[in-house]
Amino acid sequence: MSGPLIVLVGPMGVGKSTVGELLAEQLGTTYRDTDADVVAMAGKPISEIFFDEGEEHFRALERQAVQDAIAEHAGVLALGGGAVLDEATRTLLAGHQVVYLSMEVDEAVRRVGLNTARPLLAVNPRRQWRELMDARRHLYEEVARAVVATDDRTAEEVARAILDVTELPERTGEPAPSGRETTRMTEQGTTRIQIAGTAGTDPYEVLVGRRLLGELPNLIGDRAKRVAVLHPEALAETGEAVRQDLADQGYEAIAIQLPNAEEAKTVEVAAYCWKALGQTGFTRTDVIVGVGGGATTDVAGFVAASWLRGVRWIAVPTTVLAMVDAAVGGKTGINTAEGKNLVGAFHPPAGVLCDLAALDSLPVHDYVSGMAEIIKAGFIADPVILDLVEADPEGARTPAGPHTAELIERSIRVKAEVVSSDLKESGPREILNYGHTLAHAIEKNERYKWRHGAAVSVGMVFAAELGRLAGRLDDATADRHRAVLESVGLPLTYRGDQWPKLLENMKIDKKSRGDLLRFIVLDGIGKPTVLEGPDPAVLLAAFGEVSA
């Protein structure tokens, strides 16, 4: 019978793509994925097909994609998780070499995690996984000639097991032709970045990767009886999913919903959280989990620092800004009428889970806003970041870009190195505030309606001009600020008539000492320094360069 050499079936996240590409290489053939065919047919991601046209329309596209692939493809073929639900598809598979890749629920949740691009697991991954498998397991087994378990196995080990049960010969000699670039071990490609403990705090890890939700219980540990999941209103379903998953594992888990964005960073919201903790009997061995953007992790950390003079907390950042800045380093805080982050504490988390899958559904403006902090890290410490952005500005604007993981990891490493040596901003940590003095003044002036990254972008251009006017920074590097920031769509200017208000706001910046204004400026790329008490005329001239 003509058709695919091997057909892989199994649930979402089991690793069909990773194993399929590896098998194709070992067998000297090509690889095809019907999910990718559906995306190409529709011109949009599967999650958007579900949202815009519904599951029925998606299944019709999938049915056609499977029919075409079985008729046309002679290599390794992977089907979508729900393809076997269609009776016509099951009939087509009869007589073909079908292998069912299986995994248990704990492994599934670890791999799939917070991936909102998986539309059928968007609310409670553990419960919904069981329901999906109850409906599909017998269908996978019906069409398969062999079953290969993937739990606790690498992609190479799974591929070897498939070759053993199918008795297909491996290629020898020249490399195989390939329909796409081979990618290995995507499920296990997690980067761990160490943050050293200082000033009596414990060290912790920042994990960057995908499908990281399964790491959460390990970070919470066995001593905790209760877990409070703090999340913004916009992530109500995600917060409830995390809470339910923890409850299913035996914790007394509660969800505390916060207002969105900077509206959460008030003493009233903190008091609301304290009340919830008190009513549920939260003790020093219990744990707070902050799931959301930078404002959410700021509040979660502050509530953890202040409750019982300090309980453990874990950050699960869901935005670029939170991953590269707010969730790392232990700075926690809330705003007051007088300024941003003026009330807070240094209270490092017990761990940070940066699940890149959470970025897949992030609105473009929020994603681009976070790029300001990444670009900042490039200017103050890691020029490779700037090179990557300049090489592909459009790619830097989207989580689908080729350098997303590297940009985020490099930015976190910059901050990790700084905060590991200076937790409480008594010295080197001040460099992380590059561009932030004016940025915080703008945010306060806009009543925190401006995105933080947008304000930081303007603040960095201002700092570059200040450094140039002070004779510290060369023209080319100052101009490079404008070029890089503008290339990803970040703003470069602010209202010129607001200078008197901004100046007053900057006088109560955390870096100020008495009446002395202090700014982080550059002597060159990767050479940040402090500029104290600049001449008011120089300040005004620098602001003139960013005035709209």
Side-chain angles (χ1 to χ4, degrees), residues 237-257:
E237 288 188 347
T238 300
E240 173 56 24
V242 174
R243 186 208 66 78
Q244 184 62 56
D245 189 68
L246 294 173
D248 289 345
Q249 296 181 66
Y251 295 106
E252 293 180 15
I254 63 169
I256 302 176
Q257 182 168 295

Side-chain angles (χ1 to χ4, degrees), residues 197-208:
T198 59
T201 64
D202 294 327
Y204 61 96
E205 286 187 328
V206 181
L207 276 63
V208 184

Side-chain angles (χ1 to χ4, degrees), residues 195-275:
I195 311 290
T198 59
T201 64
D202 294 327
Y204 61 96
E205 286 187 328
V206 181
L207 276 63
V208 184
R210 288 178 176 266
R211 294 163 286 275
L212 298 180
L213 185 60
E215 299 282 350
L216 195 51
N218 294 332
L219 290 173
I220 292 172
D222 297 331
R223 294 183 62 206
K225 180 180 180 182
R226 302 170 187 84
V227 180
V229 180
L230 275 60
H231 64 84
E233 181 181 356
L235 293 180
E237 288 188 347
T238 300
E240 173 56 24
V242 174
R243 186 208 66 78
Q244 184 62 56
D245 189 68
L246 294 173
D248 289 345
Q249 296 181 66
Y251 295 106
E252 293 180 15
I254 63 169
I256 302 176
Q257 182 168 295
L258 310 179
N260 292 327
E262 293 291 321
E263 292 181 6
K265 296 177 61 172
T266 68
V267 69
E268 291 80 12
V269 170
Y272 168 75
C273 296
W274 296 326
K275 181 177 181 181

Side-chain angles (χ1 to χ4, degrees), residues 193-199 201-207 297-298 301-302 305 313-315 317 321-333 344-354 376 411-426 429-430 432:
I193 301 171
Q194 299 286 333
I195 311 290
T198 59
T201 64
D202 294 327
Y204 61 96
E205 286 187 328
V206 181
L207 276 63
T297 56
D298 279 355
F302 178 67
W313 74 288
I314 297 162
L321 177 65
M323 290 182 185
V324 304
D325 185 42
V328 180
K331 267 190 180 181
T332 73
F346 293 99
H347 189 57
V352 182
L353 300 179
C354 297
K376 178 200 76 177
S411 300
I412 293 173
R413 290 187 189 281
V414 168
K415 187 163 188 178
E417 183 175 352
V418 173
V419 302
S420 291
S421 62
D422 180 20
L423 172 66
K424 296 189 175 181
E425 205 170 71
S426 57
R429 185 167 182 164
E430 281 192 320
L432 298 174

